[in-house]
Amino acid sequence: MRRSAITATIAATLAGALACAPSAPAAPGPPVSVRVVSAAGTTGNYFQVSAQPGQLASAGKLMLRNLSDQPLTVLLDPVQGLTSSTLGSAYGVRGTKASGPASWVVLSQRRVVLAPHRGAGVPVSVRMGARVNPGDYLAGIGVQTGGAGNVQVHGNVAISSIQRYAVGVEMTVPGPRHPHIQLFGANLDRKPAGVTFSIEGRNDGNVILQNVHGQATISSGGHVVAQRPMGPGTFVTGTSIAYPILVPNLQPTVGTAYRVRASLRYPGGTAQLSKVVRFGQIDAERQQAYGGPAVNSGGGSNHLLPILLIAAVAACLAALWVRRRRGPGAGSGIGALQKALPGEIANARASGEPLSVTLVPANGSNPRELAAGIRGCLRLRDKVFRLSRSGLMVVSPDTTPEAGQLLAAEIRRQLSRGRENGAAVVSVTNASEYSAEDLLQAATAGADRGTARSQADNGGGQASTDNKAQSR
C-alpha cells in the first residue's frame, strides 16, 4: 500500500531572513521569488509600519516573480505572528482564521496568476485595530503556490512537498513601552524520546523582545538532573511558549518530585520560575509502553494504558466528527460535559497533574458564537463545553492554577475587544480537588453571577462563586 505525506515548511525571522525550507532533500528550488518594497520605495525583507489606532497605512508592495516555465497561481494570506517553543519568531499556516494583528493586514489580492517568467506587485496595507494599545505587534503574509506540489516516489512512499514563504509585518503603535515576560508554570510528560519538562511563559508586555536567553535547572532530592540553556531568541508580543527540556535517560518512579527552576533574561528585566512537578501513574504507564520499567500497579491495573490509549483515539475521532458537524469553535453541550468531567477529574487525581476550569458567561451572546470567539486563546489540550444558554466551560487538563488564571485573563481580554460591556470570567483552579457535581454547580452559579457582575462593572473585575469550587 502506498502512503503519502504532505509536508509544508515556513521559515522566517523578525530580523528579516526570508527563507523557504524544502521538505525533502531532493526537492527543486522555489518556483516563485518574493521581494519586499516598502512604502518609501526601499527594498527589504519584511514590512515595518507605524500607525495610530484605527488608521489605514500603506506598508508597501510584495513583489512576486514566476521563475518557472509554466503559469503559476500564487496564494496570499495574512497569518498569525507566533513564538516558536524554543524562542524565535514564527508564523501560522494559511487557512486558519486571521485574528488580532493578522486581521489588520490588508492585501489588494489574495490570488495572483503569473505567466512564465513574469512578475507582479501586490500592494500591502495595515488597518490598525480601533482600540489597540501602544506597542509592537507581529503578523505575516503567507505565500504559497497553488496545486498539489512536487510529488516524489521513494519505493512505496510518495512524498508531496509544498514550499511556503512567510513575510513578516511588524506593526507599531506609538506610545510608552513596557517590556515584560512572565514564567508561570512547569509540566512534565513521558514521550517516546524520554521525559520532557516544559516551562510555560508569556510575553505579556508590549515589546517584541530579542536576544531573550536564560537557563533551566531540574533537580530531584537535591541532585541536579538536567541543566539546559534557554535561547537566545525572539519572544513576540502577546504570545506564549512551552519551552521543552528533554532528559532522555531519566526513568523515574511514580510520585517522584522534580524542582524546575528557570531564569529568562530580556532587555528590561528577568523572569524567574521555581515549581515542583511530579511523575504520575499515567506517565509511568506510558514509560512502560515505551520500553521502560514495569509499573507496580497492583491487581492487574497494568491494562490501564491500553484502555487509556483506546479512549484517547476514540476521543480524537469523536472530536473530529463534532468539528465537521458543527464547525470550528462550536464545542460540546452540557450532556458531553457531564460525561467528560468525571473522567478528567479521575485522570488528574491518578496522575497528580493539575486541572483547571474556566467559566465564561454568555452575557446575552450565542454560546456557539462565544466559543468561536475565544478559539484563538485556547491550546490543543483545552476542551470547550456549552452550558445551555448561560455560557461556556473550558476544561484545561495538565494546567496549573497560575496557568489557569492566565488563560482566564486572556479570554477576558479577547472578549472585551469585541464587546462594549466587557466579559466576566470565573476561573476555577485546582479542579481535581472537587467532584463533577461541585464544578457543574459552580458553572451554573458562576455564569449567572459573572453575567450580573459584567453588566455592573463593565467586566473590570473577576467574578467568584459562593460554593467551595472557588478560584484560589
Side-chain angles (χ1 to χ4, degrees), residues 359-363 387 389-392 424 426 440-456 463-465:
L359 308 174
V360 186
N363 290 346
L387 304 172
R389 296 182 180 179
S390 60
L392 306 174
V426 183
L440 289 172
Q441 182 182 355
T444 304
D448 293 341
R449 287 171 171 79
T451 300
R453 178 68 175 272
S454 178
Q455 293 171 348
S464 62
T465 62

Side-chain angles (χ1 to χ4, degrees), residues 193-242:
V195 176
T196 300
F197 297 83
S198 59
I199 298 170
E200 297 178 317
R202 181 173 180 81
N203 181 349
D204 54 3
N206 65 351
V207 182
I208 297 176
L209 297 168
Q210 300 186 58
N211 193 33
V212 177
H213 62 284
Q215 182 172 276
T217 302
I218 300 164
S219 59
S220 179
H223 301 283
V224 174
V225 173
Q227 196 168 58
R228 303 281 191 276
M230 300 175 66
T234 300
F235 208 145
V236 177
T237 312
T239 62
S240 301
I241 63 169

